[in-house]
Amino acid sequence: MKNLFENWRRFVNERENIACGCVDSSETDLTIKDVQNFLNNNGYELPETFETGEADGKCGPETRKAIMDFQGKNGLKQDACVGKDTAEAIKAVMDGKNPKITAKVKVSKKQEPSVVSGKIAAVGDSLTVGVAAGNKSYIDILGGKKFAIGGKASSQLLGQAETAIASSPEYLVVYMGINDAHYPAGCTDRLSTVVKSNLSKIYSAAKKKGIKVIGIQIHYPQKYWNNHYQKCKKNPSKKGCCKNNENRSPENLWKHMQLVNKWIQQNADFPIETNDLWIDANKGDAVHWNFAGQNEIANRIKELI
């Protein structure tokens, strides 16, 4: 009898999850595509959902599993349905804030660098948000102010940079550019030029205010970009692929990232190398640092300032 009841409850729960359609529109204005894009940009791989290069907007098993993974990592009920609480947690990550309910990250005193709160702020994308590290990034470890939105290109972070500069820190960490390859510039040979132009605007604005710029160089997630390249090579007409797929080849992206990193090396008051840190022990997923990687970056910043 007990087993019969458990099976019935499991059946009802599954029906409720599917009936929800992944997103409860009565509790949030987020759409399924919004959620899928968020998950894909924040370390939850959805290869079938993005087979055409864009979110398919369907509440399939892959999307439901990714929602549940996000819910589990953030201490939320794993019901595969984006209701009020899950939507608030998603929007908190998008806004560069920790969700109200979030998984705890244990930090040993030996690992955590000395705090430099009040002196430092950071602007960036999901790498600064702390995706795959319990939403605790290098700037949280250092006790500084965080101005970050996941999944954004450098041009879309200029407003965040302006706000960060207005907070008048002594040091401003600028860590962005890795997402630009997903945007139109990534399908051209102007990728590095576009990123450098946006970085230049931020660096110049900060330095005019007497703020020292800490420039974190872009690491290269080769496996991630190689997978994307191979998919587009098989079907170049898929949405999300470049008309000239070679512009987004691993070799070409590496070339552009090297050009951006060289610019950072020459223009930041304190440039920080990261490619040597991109090892398995520091990887949270195909693109993001885990807490150990974030801690390594925090240590490098602390050593410089």
Side-chain angles (χ1 to χ4, degrees), residues 42-301:
N42 286 276
Y44 300 86
E45 295 186 4
L46 300 165
E48 294 178 9
T49 302
F50 282 82
E51 187 176 1
T52 64
E54 293 185 354
D56 62 13
K58 299 177 182 178
C59 182
E62 185 179 62
T63 298
R64 289 197 295 273
K65 180 181 181 302
I67 292 172
M68 290 179 69
D69 288 345
F70 173 80
Q71 290 171 325
K73 288 183 179 180
N74 289 281
L76 298 160
K77 179 183 177 182
Q78 291 180 276
D79 58 4
C81 181
V82 178
K84 180 181 177 182
D85 291 340
T86 302
E88 286 181 355
I90 288 173
K91 288 182 178 180
V93 175
M94 288 178 171
D95 293 339
K97 303 172 182 176
N98 290 336
K100 292 180 180 178
I101 304 173
T102 185
K104 293 182 179 178
V105 179
K106 294 182 179 179
V107 185
S108 69
K109 290 183 179 179
K110 290 183 179 179
Q111 287 181 318
E112 190 163 6
S114 300
V115 175
V116 289
S117 58
K119 295 173 56 178
I120 189 168
V123 58
D125 48 40
S126 56
L127 297 166
T128 299
V129 169
V131 169
N135 292 317
K136 189 177 178 73
S137 73
Y138 60 90
I139 193 64
D140 297 299
I141 297 171
L142 292 169
K145 296 178 181 179
K146 180 159 67 178
F147 301 86
I149 306 176
K152 300 298 183 181
S154 56
S155 62
Q156 297 171 314
L157 292 168
L158 295 176
Q160 291 288 310
E162 184 178 346
T163 305
I165 292 168
S167 71
S168 301
E170 185 176 342
Y171 300 94
L172 177 66
V173 184
V174 182
Y175 191 13
M176 63 182 72
I178 197 169
N179 289 319
D180 284 65
H182 276 299
Y183 288 81
C187 287
T188 72
D189 200 40
R190 297 186 65 254
L191 175 59
S192 55
T193 301
V194 170
V195 177
K196 287 188 293 182
S197 175
N198 291 320
L199 290 177
S200 179
K201 293 174 185 176
I202 298 171
Y203 281 33
S204 296
K207 291 182 179 183
K208 284 181 180 178
K209 295 284 186 178
I211 300 169
K212 297 180 179 67
V213 176
I214 299 171
I216 300 183
Q217 296 180 347
I218 306 170
H219 67 281
Y220 181 61
Q222 183 176 0
K223 183 178 179 181
Y224 175 85
W225 284 116
N226 187 57
N227 288 341
H228 180 84
Y229 173 73
Q230 293 301 331
K231 288 179 181 178
C232 290
K233 190 174 183 179
K234 289 179 181 177
N235 190 349
S237 62
K238 283 185 178 181
K239 290 183 179 180
C241 295
C242 301
K243 290 183 179 180
N244 180 0
N245 193 39
E246 293 307 309
N247 279 335
R248 207 180 269 164
S249 69
E251 294 78 14
N252 203 44
L253 290 180
W254 171 249
K255 178 192 76 174
H256 282 287
M257 289 183 182
Q258 288 291 87
L259 290 171
V260 171
N261 287 343
K262 182 178 179 181
W263 187 92
I264 293 172
Q265 181 71 32
Q266 294 172 340
N267 291 275
D269 295 300
F270 301 99
I272 293 180
E273 165 67 43
T274 58
N275 270 305
D276 63 318
L277 294 179
W278 190 240
I279 57 176
D280 288 343
N282 294 331
K283 294 178 181 178
D285 55 35
V287 177
H288 302 93
W289 306 101
N290 59 17
F291 182 73
Q294 292 284 2
N295 195 70
E296 289 287 351
I297 294 174
N299 275 321
R300 291 195 173 183
I301 293 172

